[in-house]
Amino acid sequence: MSGIRVAVCGALGRMGLEVVKTVLADPELELVAAIEHHRIGETLHEASAGVACCELVLEEDLGKALVDSQAQVCVDFTHPSTVFQNALTIIEAGCRPVIGTTGISSEQLEKIKAALEAKNIGGLVAPNFAIGAVLIMKFAQEAAKYFDHAEIIEFHHNQKADAPSGTAIKTAEMMAETLGKFNPSNAPEKELYEGARGARKTPGDIPIHSVRLPGYVAHQEILFGCQGQTITLRHDSIDRASFMPGVAMGCKKIMSETGLVYGLEHLI
């Protein structure tokens, strides 16, 4: 019996290739389409220099590839500038998007939600697919019941296109659901250099600090403080393989969902 029919958009990207390898290795999933904007007509095996052992030919037209392959799920780890239109194209083809690209605005999420509901299918947008990252978001949400002073520091490689990270924003949103506003007793501040205290117009007014340096993959610290004690929650993805169990889970579980699922925590 064949598995869930999966397409990968951005199949030659750093995350895309990891997704390709994960789908190929999972007996419950079947890779049926690989979409890219270069090396068109080459096989995945040729274009990836043997990293992906697959003779599937790379295609450029996302909508056509999904319809022709009858894909049920399309995984997208492309770029903030293209992911929203990709999502609408995926949904229009009757396919379920599983999106790990960050930088999608709240307005765009609402349009994705409406498109999914119109098609009566499910779609997943997850700022982070690492199970550990999702867990510390939940831990931070719990800690927010007891600590009303907090800051977030996120570390990523220097090729990341957006800041703050989607993970940091989602973490702040979850904390703000528990406690509306943080850091009530901080003294008035004068920044000698603008941004020294991080991004401030955030959910819950939680300062978010973004670090961009080569050598990092994806890391986050949530710091809590109160009189006489502190808590530090930290998660480190040291390899992109850390995201793949969550991607595989998302591809499988989204088949039984309808509408938009925002965050992997809703499927765990």
Side-chain angles (χ1 to χ4, degrees), residues 92-247:
E92 181 60 30
C95 188
R96 297 159 181 81
V98 171
I99 296 172
T101 307
T102 58
I104 301 175
S105 70
S106 56
E107 293 80 11
Q108 290 173 333
L109 281 173
E110 284 300 315
K111 291 178 181 178
I112 291 170
K113 179 175 180 287
L116 288 166
E117 291 172 351
K119 284 285 188 177
N120 199 35
I121 57 176
L124 171 63
V125 177
N128 201 311
F129 277 92
I131 304 300
V134 174
L135 288 175
I136 68 159
M137 290 182 207
K138 294 170 76 70
F139 299 158
Q141 190 173 36
E142 181 68 17
K145 296 177 182 178
Y146 309 100
F147 287 75
D148 61 356
H149 286 70
E151 303 202 12
I152 296 171
I153 310 172
E154 53 96 352
F155 311 75
H156 282 79
H157 55 88
N158 64 335
Q159 300 303 306
K160 184 170 175 57
D162 57 317
S165 69
T167 301
I169 295 170
K170 176 66 172 174
T171 303
E173 288 173 348
M174 291 174 66
M175 292 165 63
E177 288 174 7
T178 299
L179 182 68
K181 185 175 175 61
F182 286 78
N183 309 313
S185 64
N186 280 16
E189 300 170 347
K190 178 182 178 181
E191 289 184 326
L192 301 183
Y193 293 96
E194 186 177 355
R197 290 288 293 117
R200 306 302 290 271
K201 294 181 180 180
T202 61
D205 291 333
I206 303 168
I208 301 178
H209 310 265
S210 296
V211 176
R212 296 291 178 267
L213 288 171
Y216 285 107
V217 177
H219 317 256
Q220 177 167 272
E221 289 186 354
I222 306 113
L223 311 177
F224 292 91
C226 72
Q227 187 172 5
Q229 61 180 315
T230 64
I231 292 176
T232 300
L233 300 173
R234 180 175 175 113
H235 176 262
D236 299 279
S237 282
I238 57 176
D239 190 288
R240 288 177 177 81
S242 66
F243 306 113
M244 294 304 110
V247 171

Side-chain angles (χ1 to χ4, degrees), residues 3 9-10 48 107 126 156 166 252:
C9 190
S48 69
E107 293 80 11
H156 282 79
K252 296 167 188 177

